[in-house]
């Protein structure tokens, strides 16, 4: 397992523009995306124009932290503190990049 502290520090260097020097990437939901919790189904959702994405597992916990204030390293550190021993340092940056490619976060 990767050391969460070292990985979080490395993740802090992730930029939103693939190497731009504007600073670390601070993920935030795209303007057309709304995060909702469905109380009936007890699941988190991303509501997009003409589409709803159901977030499984802890994906909602990750997306909930994408507030534009925290960089990727801070998100990783927060989740590592909440879930000791989980491979968040490896999994969270990959997940965030994947949903960024979908256009759900910027």
């Amino acid at each position: 397992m990767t050391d969460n502290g070292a990985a979080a520090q490395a993740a802090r260097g992730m930029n939103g523009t693939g190497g731009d020097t504007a600073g670390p990437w601070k993920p935030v939901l795209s303007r057309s995306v709304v995060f909702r919790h469905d109380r009936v189904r007890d699941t988190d959702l991303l509501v997009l124009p003409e589409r709803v994405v159901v977030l499984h597992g802890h994906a909602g916990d990750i997306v909930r932290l994408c507030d534009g204030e925290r960089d990727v390293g801070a998100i990783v550190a927060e989740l590592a503190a909440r879930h000791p021993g989980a491979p968040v340092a490896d999994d969270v940056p990959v997940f965030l990049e994947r949903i960024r490619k979908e256009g759900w976060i910027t």
Side-chain angles (χ1 to χ4, degrees), residues 7-83:
Q9 186 174 2
R12 283 188 184 96
M14 289 183 67
N15 294 333
T17 56
D20 186 15
T21 58
W25 175 35
K26 296 180 179 180
V28 65
L29 286 175
S30 296
R31 295 184 80 182
S32 62
V33 178
V34 177
F35 179 85
R36 293 272 188 253
H37 182 76
D38 182 338
R39 291 188 303 240
V40 173
R41 293 177 188 86
D42 193 28
T43 191
D44 293 318
L45 308 169
L46 293 179
V47 181
L48 296 83
E50 302 182 24
R51 183 175 177 196
V52 174
V53 176
V54 178
L55 299 173
H56 297 282
H58 292 288
D61 294 340
I62 299 168
V63 173
R64 192 175 281 112
L65 295 174
C66 295
D67 57 9
E69 298 294 319
R70 296 174 179 94
D71 64 18
V72 175
I75 292 169
V76 167
E78 173 76 22
L79 292 167
R82 290 184 195 177
H83 306 283

